[in-house]
Amino acid sequence: MSPEHFAALWRSLLPIGRDGRDGGYLRRSWGPADLECREWFTEEALDRDLTLDPDGNGNLWAWWGDPTAGDAVVTGSHLDSVPHGGAYDGPLGVVSALLAIDLLRERGATPRRPIGITVFTEEEGARFGVACLGSRLLTGAIDPARARALTDRDGLTLADAMTKAGYDPADLGADPARLGRIGAFLELHIEQGRALVGTDAAVGVGSAIWPHGRWRMEFTGEANHAGTTRMADRRDPMLTFAYAVLAADEEARRLGAHATVGRVEATPNATNAIPSAVTAWLDARAGDASVLQEMVEALRRRAAERAAADGTGFAVRPESESPVVEFDSGLRDRIASRLGGAPILPTGAGHDAGVLASHVPTAMLFVRNPTGVSHAPAEYATDVDCWAGVTALADALEELAC
Ligand code: GLV
Ligand code: MN
Ligand code: MN
Ligand code: MN
């Protein structure tokens, strides 16, 4: 097998959910493209004689070996995307998992432990706001009643979206029996920054995930006419919002953290009206939990002070929070040494592997991304590097399971 095998399977998934205008992906969980991706995975698993075993949380599972035997080695990632995201974030881990099984079979390997492939649902939280929703549900990290009531931008609940897609939302919830059958979890993922650019390594091994989270910020004021309202008479929440964005940026730079406001909604969103409200989402991350907390607190204080001066209202509340993750050091070192001393690196991106890591020994593999861009159409990896990723994943699975 060779990079051409990667390219062929990759090409079969590439058209699903692609926006012809910018080449970005619109794979919203439980939307039409996501359902097509699920069909694609199901067919690929059946073609390989894997045993399909979807769970009640909308996550897909396929097994080589007896899924009930326990002490399984599971690998996988996700197929949903951020709006206009890149092709590789998520799908690379799923395609690589299928190909790693092909490669192990070609090598004549026989698993002592069952090998599973999983596709987690709503990893990006792009539709319902909570990242890693499928793995959080599986591990009991989110209450299923709260999950069912989450709404998308059109006001549709998760329960409604699942029902429309033919899934039963009543089945959502922690699945300790399934979790208990997993002995190790591996996620292969595209590297989402510049950590491997300019190195001679196509593949790195994860050490940690930065603590991070999402905060919903509500700025409220008074709607009024853009032409007739004197500047002195305004209570404009857009100004408080703009100040908060700059304050978040300043605090992040001061503390060596990352802060992003990538989503904003103005009400009524009219050119000639002062808005009555602005809702915006802060994505904040830092290498250290206390720094993250300090940054969010500083933003909260500064935005509240500014709101008082502007005569506007300001409220902020967490929507999802992910503590620091340290991947299993034994697993990490074993895989890195099997790969001949691959570099070990942390990441500021969240992953289902991060959720699994507090329940199961977990490791991650990262494939070099020469653009250093992710969550955007320019995200890229060469076929040769992707094939190096498949080989590394097969080596790791062979080391652990065969
Ligand atoms: C998911 O990819 C995230 O880190 O936001
Ligand atoms: Mn992502
Ligand atoms: Mn991802
Ligand atoms: Mn992610």
Side-chain angles (χ1 to χ4, degrees), residues 131-171:
C132 300
L133 187 59
S135 53
R136 283 185 204 261
L137 281 160
L138 168 75
T139 57
I142 183 168
D143 173 41
R146 178 183 166 216
R148 276 189 283 271
L150 291 169
T151 52
D152 69 9
R153 294 175 199 207
D154 303 322
L156 202 69
T157 62
L158 172 70
D160 290 340
M162 286 185 74
T163 306
K164 250 178 98 179
Y167 287 75
D168 186 353
D171 296 340

Short mmCIF file of all heavy atoms in Angstrom, two decimals, residues 131-171:
data_model
loop_
_atom_site.label_atom_id
_atom_site.label_comp_id
_atom_site.label_asym_id
_atom_site.label_seq_id
_atom_site.Cartn_x
_atom_site.Cartn_y
_atom_site.Cartn_z
N ALA A 131 -18.74 21.89 22.35
CA ALA A 131 -17.74 21.11 21.63
C ALA A 131 -17.68 19.69 22.19
O ALA A 131 -17.96 19.46 23.36
CB ALA A 131 -16.38 21.79 21.74
N CYS A 132 -17.29 18.75 21.33
CA CYS A 132 -17.12 17.34 21.73
C CYS A 132 -18.39 16.77 22.37
O CYS A 132 -18.33 16.05 23.37
CB CYS A 132 -15.94 17.18 22.70
SG CYS A 132 -14.37 17.72 21.99
N LEU A 133 -19.52 17.12 21.79
CA LEU A 133 -20.80 16.72 22.40
C LEU A 133 -20.94 15.20 22.46
O LEU A 133 -21.38 14.65 23.47
CB LEU A 133 -21.95 17.34 21.61
CG LEU A 133 -23.34 17.16 22.20
CD1 LEU A 133 -23.42 17.77 23.60
CD2 LEU A 133 -24.40 17.81 21.30
N GLY A 134 -20.56 14.49 21.37
CA GLY A 134 -20.73 13.03 21.35
C GLY A 134 -19.89 12.34 22.41
O GLY A 134 -20.36 11.42 23.10
N SER A 135 -18.65 12.78 22.57
CA SER A 135 -17.80 12.13 23.57
C SER A 135 -18.18 12.58 24.98
O SER A 135 -18.09 11.81 25.94
CB SER A 135 -16.32 12.37 23.28
OG SER A 135 -16.03 13.74 23.13
N ARG A 136 -18.67 13.82 25.11
CA ARG A 136 -19.13 14.25 26.44
C ARG A 136 -20.35 13.42 26.87
O ARG A 136 -20.49 13.04 28.03
CB ARG A 136 -19.52 15.72 26.43
CG ARG A 136 -18.33 16.68 26.46
CD ARG A 136 -18.84 18.12 26.56
NE ARG A 136 -17.87 19.05 26.05
CZ ARG A 136 -17.02 19.77 26.79
NH1 ARG A 136 -17.01 19.65 28.10
NH2 ARG A 136 -16.17 20.60 26.23
N LEU A 137 -21.25 13.16 25.93
CA LEU A 137 -22.43 12.35 26.26
C LEU A 137 -22.00 10.93 26.65
O LEU A 137 -22.43 10.40 27.66
CB LEU A 137 -23.40 12.33 25.08
CG LEU A 137 -24.27 13.59 24.93
CD1 LEU A 137 -24.83 13.71 23.53
CD2 LEU A 137 -25.40 13.59 25.97
N LEU A 138 -21.14 10.36 25.83
CA LEU A 138 -20.66 8.98 26.09
C LEU A 138 -20.08 8.85 27.50
O LEU A 138 -20.34 7.89 28.21
CB LEU A 138 -19.59 8.62 25.04
CG LEU A 138 -18.77 7.36 25.30
CD1 LEU A 138 -19.60 6.11 25.02
CD2 LEU A 138 -17.50 7.34 24.44
N THR A 139 -19.27 9.84 27.89
CA THR A 139 -18.57 9.76 29.17
C THR A 139 -19.37 10.34 30.33
O THR A 139 -18.89 10.37 31.45
CB THR A 139 -17.22 10.52 29.09
OG1 THR A 139 -17.50 11.88 28.71
CG2 THR A 139 -16.29 9.90 28.06
N GLY A 140 -20.56 10.84 30.05
CA GLY A 140 -21.39 11.40 31.12
C GLY A 140 -20.97 12.81 31.52
O GLY A 140 -21.36 13.30 32.58
N ALA A 141 -20.19 13.49 30.67
CA ALA A 141 -19.71 14.83 31.02
C ALA A 141 -20.78 15.90 30.77
O ALA A 141 -20.58 17.04 31.15
CB ALA A 141 -18.44 15.17 30.24
N ILE A 142 -21.85 15.53 30.12
CA ILE A 142 -22.97 16.48 29.96
C ILE A 142 -24.27 15.74 30.22
O ILE A 142 -24.43 14.57 29.82
CB ILE A 142 -22.96 17.15 28.55
CG1 ILE A 142 -24.08 18.19 28.44
CG2 ILE A 142 -23.05 16.13 27.43
CD1 ILE A 142 -23.98 19.09 27.22
N ASP A 143 -25.17 16.41 30.90
CA ASP A 143 -26.46 15.84 31.23
C ASP A 143 -27.28 15.69 29.94
O ASP A 143 -27.42 16.65 29.18
CB ASP A 143 -27.16 16.78 32.22
CG ASP A 143 -28.58 16.37 32.49
OD1 ASP A 143 -28.81 15.16 32.62
OD2 ASP A 143 -29.47 17.26 32.52
N PRO A 144 -27.82 14.50 29.67
CA PRO A 144 -28.55 14.32 28.40
C PRO A 144 -29.75 15.24 28.25
O PRO A 144 -30.08 15.65 27.13
CB PRO A 144 -28.96 12.84 28.42
CG PRO A 144 -28.68 12.34 29.79
CD PRO A 144 -27.69 13.26 30.43
N ALA A 145 -30.39 15.60 29.36
CA ALA A 145 -31.54 16.51 29.25
C ALA A 145 -31.08 17.88 28.77
O ALA A 145 -31.73 18.52 27.93
CB ALA A 145 -32.25 16.62 30.60
N ARG A 146 -29.93 18.33 29.29
CA ARG A 146 -29.38 19.62 28.82
C ARG A 146 -29.03 19.51 27.33
O ARG A 146 -29.31 20.42 26.55
CB ARG A 146 -28.13 19.99 29.64
CG ARG A 146 -27.52 21.27 29.14
CD ARG A 146 -26.24 21.72 29.83
NE ARG A 146 -25.63 22.76 29.02
CZ ARG A 146 -24.33 22.95 28.85
NH1 ARG A 146 -23.47 22.17 29.46
NH2 ARG A 146 -23.88 23.90 28.07
N ALA A 147 -28.42 18.38 26.95
CA ALA A 147 -28.02 18.20 25.55
C ALA A 147 -29.24 18.24 24.63
O ALA A 147 -29.24 18.92 23.61
CB ALA A 147 -27.26 16.89 25.38
N ARG A 148 -30.29 17.51 25.02
CA ARG A 148 -31.50 17.45 24.17
C ARG A 148 -32.08 18.84 23.92
O ARG A 148 -32.63 19.12 22.88
CB ARG A 148 -32.57 16.56 24.82
CG ARG A 148 -32.39 15.09 24.53
CD ARG A 148 -33.59 14.27 25.01
NE ARG A 148 -33.57 14.07 26.45
CZ ARG A 148 -32.98 13.05 27.06
NH1 ARG A 148 -32.37 12.10 26.35
NH2 ARG A 148 -32.98 12.94 28.37
N ALA A 149 -31.93 19.74 24.92
CA ALA A 149 -32.54 21.07 24.82
C ALA A 149 -31.64 22.10 24.15
O ALA A 149 -32.09 23.23 23.91
CB ALA A 149 -32.91 21.54 26.23
N LEU A 150 -30.40 21.75 23.83
CA LEU A 150 -29.53 22.71 23.14
C LEU A 150 -30.17 23.10 21.82
O LEU A 150 -30.77 22.25 21.14
CB LEU A 150 -28.15 22.08 22.86
CG LEU A 150 -27.26 21.80 24.08
CD1 LEU A 150 -26.06 20.94 23.65
CD2 LEU A 150 -26.79 23.10 24.74
N THR A 151 -30.02 24.37 21.43
CA THR A 151 -30.64 24.81 20.17
C THR A 151 -29.59 25.27 19.17
O THR A 151 -28.53 25.75 19.55
CB THR A 151 -31.62 25.98 20.40
OG1 THR A 151 -30.93 27.00 21.13
CG2 THR A 151 -32.85 25.55 21.16
N ASP A 152 -29.92 25.13 17.89
CA ASP A 152 -29.04 25.65 16.85
C ASP A 152 -29.46 27.08 16.50
O ASP A 152 -30.34 27.66 17.14
CB ASP A 152 -29.00 24.71 15.63
CG ASP A 152 -30.31 24.67 14.86
OD1 ASP A 152 -31.22 25.49 15.15
OD2 ASP A 152 -30.43 23.83 13.94
N ARG A 153 -28.84 27.65 15.47
CA ARG A 153 -29.11 29.06 15.16
C ARG A 153 -30.53 29.29 14.66
O ARG A 153 -31.02 30.41 14.65
CB ARG A 153 -28.11 29.57 14.12
CG ARG A 153 -26.70 29.59 14.68
CD ARG A 153 -25.68 29.98 13.64
NE ARG A 153 -24.35 29.54 14.12
CZ ARG A 153 -23.21 30.12 13.79
NH1 ARG A 153 -23.19 31.13 12.96
NH2 ARG A 153 -22.07 29.66 14.26
N ASP A 154 -31.18 28.22 14.20
CA ASP A 154 -32.57 28.37 13.73
C ASP A 154 -33.56 28.06 14.85
O ASP A 154 -34.77 27.99 14.60
CB ASP A 154 -32.84 27.43 12.55
CG ASP A 154 -31.87 27.68 11.41
OD1 ASP A 154 -31.54 28.86 11.17
OD2 ASP A 154 -31.41 26.70 10.77
N GLY A 155 -33.05 27.81 16.04
CA GLY A 155 -33.94 27.52 17.16
C GLY A 155 -34.36 26.07 17.25
O GLY A 155 -35.19 25.70 18.09
N LEU A 156 -33.80 25.21 16.39
CA LEU A 156 -34.15 23.79 16.43
C LEU A 156 -33.36 23.13 17.56
O LEU A 156 -32.17 23.37 17.71
CB LEU A 156 -33.73 23.16 15.09
CG LEU A 156 -34.42 21.87 14.68
CD1 LEU A 156 -35.89 22.14 14.35
CD2 LEU A 156 -33.72 21.27 13.45
N THR A 157 -34.04 22.30 18.36
CA THR A 157 -33.31 21.63 19.45
C THR A 157 -32.54 20.43 18.91
O THR A 157 -32.86 19.89 17.84
CB THR A 157 -34.26 21.12 20.55
OG1 THR A 157 -35.13 20.14 19.97
CG2 THR A 157 -35.08 22.25 21.16
N LEU A 158 -31.55 20.02 19.69
CA LEU A 158 -30.80 18.81 19.33
C LEU A 158 -31.76 17.62 19.21
O LEU A 158 -31.66 16.82 18.28
CB LEU A 158 -29.74 18.53 20.39
CG LEU A 158 -29.01 17.20 20.25
CD1 LEU A 158 -28.08 17.20 19.05
CD2 LEU A 158 -28.21 16.89 21.50
N ALA A 159 -32.71 17.55 20.13
CA ALA A 159 -33.67 16.43 20.09
C ALA A 159 -34.43 16.44 18.76
O ALA A 159 -34.60 15.39 18.12
CB ALA A 159 -34.64 16.53 21.27
N ASP A 160 -34.86 17.62 18.33
CA ASP A 160 -35.60 17.72 17.05
C ASP A 160 -34.70 17.35 15.87
O ASP A 160 -35.12 16.65 14.95
CB ASP A 160 -36.14 19.14 16.84
CG ASP A 160 -37.26 19.47 17.81
OD1 ASP A 160 -37.84 18.52 18.35
OD2 ASP A 160 -37.52 20.67 18.02
N ALA A 161 -33.46 17.86 15.89
CA ALA A 161 -32.55 17.59 14.77
C ALA A 161 -32.25 16.09 14.68
O ALA A 161 -32.20 15.52 13.58
CB ALA A 161 -31.25 18.37 14.96
N MET A 162 -32.07 15.45 15.84
CA MET A 162 -31.81 14.01 15.82
C MET A 162 -33.02 13.24 15.31
O MET A 162 -32.90 12.31 14.52
CB MET A 162 -31.45 13.52 17.23
CG MET A 162 -30.07 13.93 17.68
SD MET A 162 -29.65 13.22 19.29
CE MET A 162 -29.33 11.50 18.85
N THR A 163 -34.20 13.65 15.78
CA THR A 163 -35.42 12.95 15.37
C THR A 163 -35.59 13.07 13.85
O THR A 163 -35.89 12.09 13.16
CB THR A 163 -36.64 13.55 16.10
OG1 THR A 163 -36.37 13.51 17.50
CG2 THR A 163 -37.91 12.77 15.81
N LYS A 164 -35.37 14.30 13.35
CA LYS A 164 -35.48 14.53 11.90
C LYS A 164 -34.52 13.64 11.11
O LYS A 164 -34.81 13.22 9.99
CB LYS A 164 -35.13 15.99 11.59
CG LYS A 164 -36.32 16.83 11.16
CD LYS A 164 -35.92 18.26 10.93
CE LYS A 164 -35.68 18.56 9.47
NZ LYS A 164 -35.32 19.98 9.25
N ALA A 165 -33.35 13.39 11.72
CA ALA A 165 -32.33 12.59 11.04
C ALA A 165 -32.54 11.09 11.25
O ALA A 165 -31.75 10.27 10.78
CB ALA A 165 -30.95 13.00 11.54
N GLY A 166 -33.59 10.73 11.99
CA GLY A 166 -33.89 9.31 12.19
C GLY A 166 -33.22 8.70 13.41
O GLY A 166 -33.15 7.48 13.54
N TYR A 167 -32.73 9.55 14.31
CA TYR A 167 -32.12 9.04 15.55
C TYR A 167 -33.07 9.30 16.72
O TYR A 167 -33.86 10.24 16.67
CB TYR A 167 -30.79 9.75 15.83
CG TYR A 167 -29.67 9.32 14.92
CD1 TYR A 167 -29.63 9.75 13.59
CD2 TYR A 167 -28.66 8.48 15.37
CE1 TYR A 167 -28.61 9.36 12.74
CE2 TYR A 167 -27.63 8.10 14.53
CZ TYR A 167 -27.61 8.54 13.21
OH TYR A 167 -26.59 8.15 12.39
N ASP A 168 -32.97 8.48 17.78
CA ASP A 168 -33.87 8.65 18.91
C ASP A 168 -33.14 9.40 20.04
O ASP A 168 -32.25 8.84 20.69
CB ASP A 168 -34.33 7.28 19.41
CG ASP A 168 -35.39 7.41 20.49
OD1 ASP A 168 -35.65 8.56 20.94
OD2 ASP A 168 -35.95 6.39 20.91
N PRO A 169 -33.54 10.65 20.31
CA PRO A 169 -32.84 11.41 21.35
C PRO A 169 -33.05 10.84 22.75
O PRO A 169 -32.31 11.18 23.67
CB PRO A 169 -33.44 12.82 21.22
CG PRO A 169 -34.74 12.65 20.52
CD PRO A 169 -34.61 11.44 19.66
N ALA A 170 -34.03 9.95 22.91
CA ALA A 170 -34.24 9.35 24.23
C ALA A 170 -33.06 8.48 24.63
O ALA A 170 -32.85 8.20 25.81
CB ALA A 170 -35.53 8.52 24.22
N ASP A 171 -32.29 8.03 23.64
CA ASP A 171 -31.16 7.13 23.93
C ASP A 171 -29.90 7.87 24.38
O ASP A 171 -28.89 7.24 24.70
CB ASP A 171 -30.81 6.29 22.69
CG ASP A 171 -31.94 5.37 22.29
OD1 ASP A 171 -32.81 5.10 23.16
OD2 ASP A 171 -31.98 4.94 21.12
#
